Amino acid sequence: MFSQTERNNDEPLSREERQQHARATTRRAILDAALSLFVSDGYAQVSIRNIAAKVEYSPGAIYSYFTSKDEIFFALAEEGFRLLGAAQLQHTPSDNPLDDIRAAAWRFYEFSKAQPQYFALVFLDRRVPRIGREYDRFAFMSDLKSRLRTQMQRCVDEGIFPPTVNADVGLRLIWAPILGIAALRLSERLPAEDADDLILDAIDTTVAGLRAGAPSRARPSTPFGSSSHSDVAHTS
């Protein structure tokens, strides 16, 4: 027996439901078109008119869904960061914090392969708006940064890394080569098969340097959202 809230598959949608579906479909089309243009042409070069032309709508129609080009970017950035966060947060921390850091670093690289457009938009295009302008919208990423920082600090507390290692700096040192190698791979300046091995080498080399107590001149990263795209993996 079906409850009153369950719908027969053959039952037609109400007018309101059809309108909601049509609006959601149009919004998705706008976001997909904008993502494609932002990545191919660069954020600064794309206008609302360009996006409207790609989806064959008027610029006015676009504004009925998004107040500005920046708002479109923030919607896409949120999607991208939620995909990244979901991939990271679904894994329960283990008893070995260093293994957790290595695994998290590799998953970040895998994100660049699985979601190359989102990765390019939020990590590589320097002309996009700063997400600090929309801190509340991206506050969920603080959970990810907190987990990663805790794992790095455990490495220090448990003697895996010397006490001179700053947890924030250590994380930045881990992520930096991944960003660079992933960027080379996406721009086809590095063969895909070489990139995977190079990522593993970069992680191992960074870990070895941290274990050896290599001197660090870098400052700890700023709080999430104050000046960077993502305090998890990219800080200006």
Side-chain angles (χ1 to χ4, degrees):
M1 175 180 284
F2 293 98
S3 68
Q4 292 182 344
T5 59
E6 292 177 313
R7 172 187 296 278
N8 187 304
N9 290 336
D10 296 329
E11 184 179 343
L13 297 175
S14 68
R15 179 181 178 184
E16 181 180 357
E17 288 171 329
R18 291 197 303 272
Q19 290 176 336
Q20 290 176 345
H21 178 72
R23 187 168 180 83
T25 300
T26 300
R27 184 178 186 276
R28 183 71 261 163
I30 294 170
L31 288 173
D32 289 344
L35 179 59
S36 176
L37 288 171
F38 290 160
V39 173
S40 63
D41 299 346
Y43 181 80
Q45 304 304 316
V46 178
S47 66
I48 290 291
R49 187 174 297 278
N50 298 145
I51 298 170
K54 190 171 181 64
V55 293
E56 299 182 344
Y57 293 130
S58 68
I62 303 295
Y63 284 116
S64 69
Y65 289 86
F66 299 96
T67 59
S68 65
K69 185 178 76 167
D70 284 3
E71 177 62 23
I72 295 175
F73 163 75
F74 288 129
L76 288 169
E78 182 178 358
E79 288 183 348
F81 281 123
R82 287 196 181 279
L83 288 170
L84 173 61
Q88 295 283 11
L89 292 173
Q90 67 179 340
H91 295 273
T92 303
S94 72
D95 293 333
N96 189 320
L98 182 56
D99 284 349
D100 290 342
I101 290 173
R102 289 178 181 274
W106 179 257
R107 285 193 293 269
F108 179 54
Y109 172 62
E110 286 188 319
F111 171 75
S112 76
K113 297 198 294 182
Q115 303 292 342
Q117 287 190 310
Y118 284 113
F119 182 87
L121 179 65
V122 299
F123 290 109
L124 302 183
D125 191 335
R126 303 306 304 162
R127 303 294 296 277
V128 299
R130 294 297 187 185
I131 65 171
R133 291 169 47 184
E134 296 283 324
Y135 173 80
D136 291 341
R137 188 171 193 163
F138 296 94
F140 66 94
M141 288 298 288
S142 292
D143 292 338
L144 176 54
K145 189 218 172 175
S146 177
R147 175 185 289 192
L148 295 172
R149 191 186 186 286
T150 296
Q151 292 166 345
M152 181 63 74
Q153 188 60 49
R154 279 185 60 198
C155 287
V156 176
D157 295 341
E158 295 177 17
I160 299 172
F161 296 149
T164 54
V165 171
N166 177 279
D168 288 320
V169 173
L171 286 177
R172 294 172 73 187
L173 290 171
I174 292 285
W175 305 135
I178 299 174
L179 276 166
I181 296 168
L184 289 172
R185 181 184 179 277
L186 289 176
S187 64
E188 299 183 348
R189 291 179 172 85
L190 182 68
E193 58 273 17
D194 292 343
D196 288 7
D197 290 338
L198 194 57
I199 285 288
L200 295 173
D201 288 343
I203 295 172
D204 287 346
T205 300
T206 305
V207 167
L210 291 172
R211 275 182 152 164
S216 172
R217 299 172 182 81
R219 294 174 297 175
S221 58
T222 55
F224 173 77
S226 64
S227 65
S228 64
H229 286 0
S230 166
D231 199 28
V232 173
H234 190 83
T235 306
S236 298

